[in-house]
Amino acid sequence: RDEAQGTVSVAPAAVRDGDIVIAAIASCANTSNPHVLMAAGLVAQKAVARGLRSAPHVKTSFTPGSRVVEAYLRAAGLQASLDELGFNIAGYACATCMGNSGPLPAAIVDAIHEDDLVVASVLSGNRNFEGRIPSAVKANFLMSPPLVVAFAIAGRIDVDVAREPLSVDAEGKPVFLRVAWAAPAEIEALMKHATDPAHALRLYADTSR
C-alpha cells in the first residue's frame, strides 16, 4: 500500500509512451449510480477468475463517496475481486480527480522525465486537468468504473478493447473485454444489495461520531 493512497507494483523499465500509470475509481462517478459500481465489480470478478491482474506499473485506487458503497459491494461479493486487482478502498470522498492521488513511485517519475514520456491516467471522476493527476501524467481520460478496471488490466491507453485482448490468462489464452463485461441481467440481479437501506441505517445510525 502507498502511504497516501493506492496500490502499485512497479516495473519501471517497462514504462513507455501510452502506458497507464494511474487507474482510479473516484467518488464523483459512483455513489450516484450503483449500477456502474456493480458492473466494475463484475468485470473484476470475471477477470480474477481467469487469473488476470492489473498491470504492474498501474497505481490503482478506489475512493467511494460513501461507506455504503463498500457495504453493498461486500454484500454482493464483489469487493474481494476489486481488492485482488488493487482497487482496495483507500478512503472516502474526493481524491485523484482533485489532485490527491498520492505520489507515483520515484522510478516511474524518473523514467517519465528522462525519456519525456506521455503516460496516462484513467479515472471515473469528472476532472482530468493536466498537472492535477499528478503533474507528471500528461494524458488523463475519464471513463466509467468498469472501463477503469479493464484498462488497469490492459495497462495501456492505446488498446482497442473492442478488438484486442485485455491480457492473457494463466494458460496464455487471450481474454477480451466482451468476455469480462457485465451483462445488464447480472447487474440487476445484484441491485438488491445496493438498494438495501440496512447499510445506511447501520453505518450512519450515529452521526455524532
Side-chain angles (χ1 to χ4, degrees), residues 6-7 34 37 80 82 125 134 139 156 158 167 179 202:
T7 306
L37 263 295
L82 287 164
R156 291 189 57 77
D158 56 356
S167 186
V179 174
R202 173 175 58 84

Side-chain angles (χ1 to χ4, degrees), residues 68 133 142 158 190-191 202:
V68 171
I133 313 173
L142 303 181
D158 56 356
L190 296 175
M191 284 303 295
R202 173 175 58 84

Side-chain angles (χ1 to χ4, degrees), residues 8-30:
V8 64
S9 174
V10 61
V15 178
R16 52 203 173 110
D17 280 326
D19 276 351
I20 294 167
V21 296
I22 291 178
I25 301 175
S27 64
C28 41
N30 59 42

Side-chain angles (χ1 to χ4, degrees), residues 61-88:
S61 65
F62 181 15
T63 52
S66 169
R67 293 164 62 200
V68 171
V69 176
E70 178 182 9
Y72 70 64
L73 285 172
R74 293 200 185 282
L78 299 178
Q79 185 58 49
S81 296
L82 287 164
D83 290 343
E84 284 287 328
L85 295 181
F87 288 96
N88 311 81

Side-chain angles (χ1 to χ4, degrees), residues 36-194:
V36 293
L37 263 295
M38 291 298 188
L42 284 165
V43 170
Q45 188 177 69
K46 294 180 182 184
V48 168
R50 293 289 297 271
L52 303 188
R53 294 295 183 271
S54 296
H57 51 270
V58 180
K59 180 176 184 177
T60 49
S61 65
F62 181 15
T63 52
S66 169
R67 293 164 62 200
V68 171
V69 176
E70 178 182 9
Y72 70 64
L73 285 172
R74 293 200 185 282
L78 299 178
Q79 185 58 49
S81 296
L82 287 164
D83 290 343
E84 284 287 328
L85 295 181
F87 288 96
N88 311 81
I89 293 179
Y92 304 92
C94 296
T96 296
C97 57
M98 61 177 288
N100 292 338
S101 60
L104 290 171
I108 282 184
V109 175
D110 289 345
I112 292 169
H113 292 318
E114 288 173 11
D115 297 327
D116 194 24
L117 299 177
V118 177
V119 296
S121 75
V122 293
L123 62 152
S124 67
N126 57 18
R127 298 179 179 88
N128 62 339
F129 308 142
E130 182 180 345
R132 201 169 180 175
I133 313 173
S135 58
V137 183
K138 297 178 181 178
N140 305 291
F141 295 86
L142 303 181
M143 56 184 63
S144 67
L147 281 178
V148 171
V149 173
F151 273 91
I153 294 167
R156 291 189 57 77
I157 198 61
D158 56 356
V159 173
D160 183 350
V161 294
R163 296 180 176 84
E164 300 176 63
L166 299 178
S167 186
V168 295
D169 64 16
E171 299 178 355
K173 296 179 179 178
V175 180
F176 291 85
L177 180 59
R178 60 179 176 268
V179 174
W181 197 249
E186 293 176 305
I187 297 170
E188 288 301 327
L190 296 175
M191 284 303 295
K192 60 185 179 183
H193 300 291

